[in-house]
């Protein structure tokens, strides 16, 4: 079905950063890019809006970006779900419901994360860590939790890429709009210069101020390798309580 294909391709393009946060998308342009009619594209955009990846605007839709408060809430929910699915995976392993191949795949993701961590590649280590968490979620056998984790992961990845992009522009000396509260107004700071504004449009405020205090680079625990080892050991041994504790320490460490 074309609508499903359009949804999959657009979702991947957004999460991969081909359409960055704030990008305006129109049915006509997307239909031309995908080689489809506007009808499946329209349905795909509706689904993406339901996922929180895009939102309606005056002309088409915009790739959405969570503000910092929403991102904090999303990370808290995701951490809780990671703990839940790790415990569930251990319970299923105890019941003999997880295949050796699934455990090996998780171990390979952890090994890849360890190698990247050892070589100082934080971005690759982060991606492999995310891959490991999704494989654990698959082993948990709870499709609702998996769906929620996927949706949260997509939105958080859009936010992470936006933060990375802003950090890269700042590092290159490019002018980056930054809103700083001054009295009752805002100062739009470009480098060392600033111009006082009495009012700022909502869209500008939400996009420019989002992730102002967030780290652009992935933040990984210095004990990442040991935490992964404990997670996988508890799951492989079928120990739900140990898996829950290891996942909680990893999520909040």
């Amino acid at each position: 079905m074309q609508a499903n294909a359009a949804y999959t391709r657009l979702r991947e393009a957004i999460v991969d950063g081909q359409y960055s946060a704030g990008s305006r998308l129109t049915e006509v342009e997307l239909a031309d890019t995908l080689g489809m009619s506007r009808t499946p594209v329209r349905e795909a955009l509706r689904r993406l809006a339901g996922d929180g990846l895009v939102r309606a605007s005056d002309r088409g839709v915009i790739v959405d970006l969570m503000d910092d408060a929403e991102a904090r809430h999303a990370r808290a929910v995701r951490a809780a779900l990671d703990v839940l699915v790790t415990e569930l995976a251990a319970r299923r392993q105890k019941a003999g419901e997880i295949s050796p191949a699934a455990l090996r795949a998780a171990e390979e993701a952890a090994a890849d994360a360890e190698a990247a961590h050892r070589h100082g590649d934080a971005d690759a280590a982060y991606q492999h860590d995310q891959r490991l968490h999704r494989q654990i979620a698959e082993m948990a056998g709870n499709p609702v939790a998996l769906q929620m984790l996927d949706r949260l992961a997509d939105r958080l990845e859009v936010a992470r890429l936006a933060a990375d992009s802003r950090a890269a522009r700042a590092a290159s000396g490019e002018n980056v709009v930054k809103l700083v509260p001054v009295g009752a107004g805002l100062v739009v700071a470009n480098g060392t210069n600033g111009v006082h504004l009495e009012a700022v449009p909502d869209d500008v405020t939400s996009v420019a101020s989002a992730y102002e205090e967030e780290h652009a680079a992935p933040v990984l625990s210095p004990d990442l390798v040991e935490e992964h080892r404990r997670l996988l050991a508890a799951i492989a041994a079928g120990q739900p309580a140990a898996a829950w504790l290891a996942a909680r320490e990893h999520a909040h460490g």
Side-chain angles (χ1 to χ4, degrees):
M1 187 177 180
Q2 280 197 319
N4 287 336
Y7 169 78
T8 299
R9 289 174 63 182
L10 290 175
R11 175 178 170 270
E12 290 175 350
I14 291 171
V15 176
D16 288 345
Q18 295 175 45
Y19 297 121
S20 59
S23 296
R24 192 177 300 278
L25 310 177
T26 67
E27 290 180 11
V28 173
E29 292 171 345
L30 293 176
D32 183 60
T33 299
L34 298 175
M36 300 178 180
S37 69
R38 292 175 62 180
T39 301
V41 170
R42 186 179 304 121
E43 177 58 30
L45 289 174
R46 287 198 192 101
R47 289 179 62 185
L48 291 168
D51 292 342
L53 288 174
V54 302
R55 61 179 172 83
S57 70
D58 293 338
R59 293 174 290 120
V61 300
I62 291 176
V63 177
D64 204 5
L65 177 66
M66 293 185 287
D67 62 29
D68 52 352
E70 188 178 6
R72 284 195 300 271
H73 294 318
R75 286 194 296 272
V77 171
R78 185 177 180 184
L81 285 172
D82 279 336
V83 172
L84 171 65
V85 296
T86 303
E87 178 186 357
L88 293 176
R91 291 187 184 282
R92 292 192 69 225
Q93 170 67 3
K94 187 176 181 179
E97 297 172 353
I98 294 179
S99 70
L103 286 172
R104 281 197 302 273
E107 289 168 356
E108 289 171 3
D112 289 341
E114 177 180 354
H117 198 314
R118 188 169 58 249
H119 289 93
D121 189 341
D123 189 69
Y126 172 83
Q127 295 295 346
H128 291 307
D129 176 72
Q130 300 307 296
R131 176 177 136 220
L132 170 61
H133 282 287
R134 194 182 192 283
Q135 287 168 337
I136 292 173
E138 289 176 345
M139 289 191 289
N142 187 316
V144 175
L146 180 60
Q147 182 183 53
M148 292 179 68
L149 280 166
D150 279 344
R151 290 179 64 177
L152 288 169
D154 286 349
R155 297 196 69 196
L156 288 168
E157 182 63 7
V158 170
R160 189 181 73 85
L161 291 174
D164 281 347
S165 177
R166 292 187 61 202
R169 294 199 306 274
S172 68
E174 187 178 325
N175 283 345
V176 179
V177 174
K178 179 176 180 179
L179 301 185
V180 182
V182 177
L186 292 168
V187 165
V188 178
N190 289 294
T192 59
N193 298 320
V195 179
H196 186 266
L197 299 182
E198 294 300 328
V200 180
D202 289 342
D203 279 357
V204 174
T205 303
S206 62
V207 172
S209 62
Y211 302 94
E212 202 61 70
E213 298 179 356
E214 294 295 318
H215 294 289
V219 179
L220 297 172
S221 167
D223 300 319
L224 180 75
V225 174
E226 175 61 20
E227 289 170 3
H228 283 173
R229 187 197 66 76
R230 291 182 58 212
L231 275 173
L232 293 176
I235 293 172
Q239 298 174 336
W244 183 93
L245 181 59
R248 186 178 185 281
E249 291 180 353
H250 180 50
H252 298 286

